[in-house]
Amino acid sequence: DQQVKQNSPSLSVQEGRISILNCDYTNSMFDYFLWYKKYPAEGPTFLISISSIKDKNEDGRFTVFLNKSAKHLSLHIVPSQPGDSAVYFCAAKGTNAGKSTFGDGTTLTVKP
Amino acid sequence: DTGVSQDPRHKITKRGQNVTFRCDPISEHNRLYWYRQTLGQGPEFLTYFQNEAQLEKSRLLSDRFSAERPKGSFSTLEIQRTEQGDSAMYLCASSLTGVNTEAFFGQGTRLTVV
């Protein structure tokens, strides 16, 4: 039973446009959510996070939205740049939990 | 470089052999995690340490897998009697202790069992 799901394996957008990556979770105990970005042959790098007490967190071109009632979060990248092309993983943690549970990732391609 | 370091980066081994991987976390981080990633999937949790104590181990983890963090600094992950299904990227990460903290990942060790 996959507790964190990224239903779109891939997404392609034009440079300068908005990229929206989606993530759904099933475990109500999750209260902290993270997005990681991964380039080939590298480990994931932390991008942005959000606590369940918030519904939005913004960091430069990256904004994460959380809808707790729908158990859904999304990552918005505006404007998208070719260097944003990577695999994006959604992850979730419970209170006092050490580990994160990851989705299977969405491959974003930003075309020049 | 003060990031998470993993060694080796690549390992090819014959089925049935034992392998050991090393992870050096960010020095001030007291939590250390091991994950496994296969193609097309996200990182799958294996185990984690807080200082030298192993606090959680995945129920899916075979008894052939063992991890240590003897002095609360570096960690090793050993796989005994490797099988072809063990072929994967093994990722190490570290973090501070806290309610809302992010983990920093190393570049991983790519294991191929032939």
Side-chain angles (χ1 to χ4, degrees), chain A residues 54-107:
Chain A
K54 295 184 175 181
D55 54 18
K56 176 183 175 181
N57 188 26
E58 191 172 355
D59 183 2
R61 297 186 297 113
F62 303 91
T63 303
V64 56
F65 296 91
L66 175 63
N67 182 335
K68 283 178 291 184
S69 61
K71 294 189 174 68
H72 176 83
L73 63 154
S74 60
L75 174 68
H76 292 210
I77 306 174
V78 182
S80 300
Q81 299 174 354
D84 296 330
S85 297
V87 180
Y88 289 78
F89 291 102
C90 170
K93 297 173 66 173
T95 303
N96 298 322
K99 68 181 182 185
S100 292
T101 300
F102 285 80
D104 286 340
T106 296
T107 300

Side-chain angles (χ1 to χ4, degrees), chain A residues 36 43 89 93 98-100 103-104, chain B residues 33 35 37 42 56 101 103 106:
Chain A
Y36 286 85
F89 291 102
K93 297 173 66 173
K99 68 181 182 185
S100 292
D104 286 340
Chain B
Y33 312 81
Y35 288 85
Q37 185 178 16
E56 188 175 352
T101 57

